[in-house]
Amino acid sequence: MVDSEEDGCARVHHENPSPSHGPWVNRTIRTRLWIILDKAAKDHTSVDLQDLLLRLTFDNICGLTFGKDPRLCPSIYPKTLSRTHSILQPATLQRLLYPGFLWRLKKILHVGAERRLRKSLQVVENYMTEALDARKETPSDDLLSRFMKKRDIDGNLFPNTVLKRIALNFVLAGRDTSSVALSWFFWLVMNTTRVEEKIIREISAVLQETRGKDTQKWIEEPLTFDEADRLIYLKAALAETLRLYPSVPEDFKYVVSDDVLPDGTALPSGSTVTYSIYSVGRMKSIWGEDCLEFKPERWLSAGGDRFEPPKDGYKFVAFNGGPRTCLGKDLAYLQMKSVVSAVLLRYRLSLVPGHRVEQKMSLTLFMKNGLKVYLKPRQLVAPPKAAVSA
Ligand code: HEM
């Protein structure tokens, strides 16, 4: 048996973040993203989109998980959790890359990455304790409050330690993944005018139906859930981005008890299996000769009117597969569609000349140097009725 967590703890929290959490996303778009981008466009200054998106999705995931007013997050973010996060990731990666005895020795001696890791975990622990105490005083509709009411299979409420791990799991799982996916998406779209035009046409067609011909009304408010739900081509472009640039480029599983893979490989209990999600997305045998091309169309039905992922759920594993598929998948698509529409409907993006877009070796597929762009206001036109479908 192969599992993704040694103690199987994550299995108790199959609570799906529902679309009703969309308001958090729209609030941060209105109160933060548009203000920053409008100013940059007006002043002709560049913006590091990856950095901005990391902050934005952090605010969203805080709102979703703790019900905290996201305006609190930027003040806490740079000083504590963000710095902590940049320590957690390399330290975890080292544990995966180097022989077990090495990091265990460092842990015992309290040196190097293990020392930084322990300090950072304490910061996270304090933050989670504060958040939990606050929710106990004033429960709300956030995920933490929901889990506080839930009971385990024996009918007991979850203890604080488990609640904190659940909350942390959501924050870690939901923050970087969506923002790096969005960064790669914007970069791909900047380089593929044909796809950008189709995306704008699709969003415009939907908004013309829901908000009328006055294009000013299209950019006054972020998308509603129903409007976002209708964006089939955009979903295909996001899935295509995740195929080529999966936010989690490789994943690993622990072997809980002796097992054998379908190809006959024996897996002794206690070993770790690592697999490359990045490579699965770029295999000719799965995606064909054009596997390295950015082609959202491969995700559409023959008529082009439906999103159609591969029938075999293990061919596209950017969200993992099987019973442990990402719990935030639908929310992630919703959030990404809202942010893309909020940005692309208002602006045309161009890469800052000389800026190098490179991958960073990390548990998350960051852009090493960020994504520095200039923004120019976009002139929107209402499409003729016949061009409604993308
Ligand atoms: C583009 C965005 C995202 C990608 C690519 C992604 C990818 C993944 C992957 C690969 C896993 C499996 C990890 C493993 O094997 O241990 C996972 C698990 C998970 N994700 Fe996501 N994720 C995304 C967004 C989100 C968001 C926004 C949330 C929360 C709102 C979230 C919550 C979770 C949770 C709770 C799990 C653990 C599920 C379990 O173990 O049963 N994810 N995600």
Side-chain angles (χ1 to χ4, degrees):
M1 186 193 174
V2 184
D3 203 346
S4 56
E5 293 212 3
E6 269 171 308
D7 58 1
C9 164
R11 253 169 289 142
V12 296
H13 49 95
H14 265 245
E15 173 92 1
N16 210 337
S18 74
S20 68
H21 292 101
W24 284 109
V25 181
N26 285 355
R27 193 175 311 184
T28 50
I29 288 175
R30 250 188 262 112
T31 61
R32 202 148 309 156
L33 183 70
W34 279 346
I35 293 169
I36 295 169
L37 296 185
D38 277 350
K39 186 166 179 340
K42 211 167 129 236
D43 298 348
H44 307 290
T45 49
S46 67
V47 170
D48 180 351
L49 258 192
Q50 180 177 255
D51 181 60
L52 184 58
L53 292 166
L54 281 166
R55 289 163 186 271
L56 190 85
T57 49
F58 184 73
D59 287 350
N60 292 338
I61 201 72
C62 278
L64 169 71
T65 310
F66 310 117
K68 273 197 178 195
D69 181 338
R71 259 167 279 198
L72 285 178
C73 291
S75 59
I76 298 164
Y77 170 80
K79 293 189 207 102
T80 55
L81 282 192
S82 142
R83 203 187 309 146
T84 301
H85 211 82
S86 56
I87 291 167
L88 287 178
Q89 284 232 6
T92 318
L93 190 62
Q94 284 195 18
R95 281 194 179 185
L96 285 172
L97 292 179
Y98 303 127
F101 74 88
L102 210 61
W103 68 259
R104 286 196 179 91
L105 188 67
K106 281 185 181 175
K107 192 177 169 188
I108 294 166
L109 297 176
H110 194 47
V111 292
E114 287 297 321
R115 191 174 69 86
R116 291 191 292 277
L117 181 65
R118 195 183 301 176
K119 275 174 101 177
S120 303
L121 287 174
Q122 194 53 52
V123 173
V124 174
E125 173 66 22
N126 295 346
Y127 186 87
M128 292 297 148
T129 307
E130 273 173 35
L132 187 59
D133 290 346
R135 280 307 98 194
K136 281 193 170 160
E137 267 175 37
T138 47
S140 177
D141 185 34
D142 51 85
L143 283 171
L144 189 54
S145 302
R146 289 191 197 187
F147 280 111
M148 278 160 49
K149 285 186 236 146
K150 272 187 171 278
R151 290 177 185 275
D152 64 17
I153 40 171
D154 301 319
N156 301 317
L157 289 169
F158 292 126
N160 285 355
T161 43
V162 173
L163 287 172
K164 280 190 258 180
R165 287 176 74 174
I166 291 172
L168 180 61
N169 206 2
F170 271 101
V171 173
L172 295 183
R175 178 212 163 198
D176 294 349
T177 43
S178 305
S179 35
V180 299
L182 279 166
S183 303
W184 289 110
F185 168 89
F186 283 123
W187 179 70
L188 283 167
V189 163
M190 259 188 268
N191 289 302
T192 328
T193 318
R194 176 189 75 81
V195 173
E196 179 175 2
E197 281 168 2
K198 275 180 116 171
I199 290 170
I200 297 292
R201 239 184 293 143
E202 181 184 56
I203 307 173
S204 303
V206 168
L207 292 181
Q208 190 179 355
E209 274 187 31
T210 55
R211 303 187 188 187
K213 278 195 171 166
D214 180 359
T215 53
Q216 193 52 34
K217 290 217 160 27
W218 302 358
I219 54 170
E220 261 169 16
E221 282 297 318
L223 298 187
T224 62
F225 173 75
D226 290 330
E227 286 165 345
D229 197 40
R230 290 173 60 182
L231 301 174
I232 305 300
Y233 187 79
L234 178 53
K235 184 168 183 182
L238 288 164
E240 180 70 346
T241 303
L242 283 164
R243 177 180 75 80
L244 289 167
Y245 296 97
S247 313
V248 183
E250 64 174 23
D251 203 356
F252 60 96
K253 307 283 169 196
Y254 295 106
V255 182
V256 179
S257 53
D258 291 353
D259 209 339
V260 182
L261 289 182
D263 72 350
T265 309
L267 301 177
S269 160
S271 49
T272 305
V273 180
T274 306
Y275 65 102
S276 172
I277 298 175
Y278 186 90
S279 307
V280 175
R282 290 167 180 245
M283 282 167 73
K284 270 192 198 153
S285 55
I286 298 180
W287 302 100
E289 287 296 322
D290 60 358
C291 62
L292 296 183
E293 285 173 42
F294 179 56
K295 270 194 178 169
E297 288 73 14
R298 71 176 94 235
W299 294 85
L300 297 177
S301 58
D305 57 344
R306 266 178 301 110
F307 178 76
E308 217 170 71
K311 291 207 170 36
D312 178 346
Y314 291 97
K315 286 189 171 168
F316 177 61
V317 283
F319 290 101
N320 207 5
R324 296 296 289 267
T325 297
C326 169
L327 286 175
K329 183 174 157 186
D330 293 339
L331 183 83
Y333 274 122
L334 174 65
Q335 175 173 239
M336 291 190 292
K337 283 174 171 184
S338 300
V339 172
V340 167
S341 309
V343 173
L344 288 187
L345 273 188
R346 287 189 168 212
Y347 318 99
R348 279 178 192 280
L349 308 178
S350 60
L351 201 64
V352 168
H355 179 73
R356 282 168 68 96
V357 171
E358 285 174 65
Q359 299 175 19
K360 183 176 170 183
M361 163 81 170
S362 160
L363 291 177
T364 310
L365 195 56
F366 290 104
M367 287 180 175
K368 200 170 170 184
N369 314 309
L371 180 63
K372 296 210 172 113
V373 297
Y374 286 120
L375 303 108
K376 271 198 184 146
R378 184 186 291 276
Q379 303 305 321
L380 288 168
V381 274
K385 269 267 176 240
V388 162
S389 61

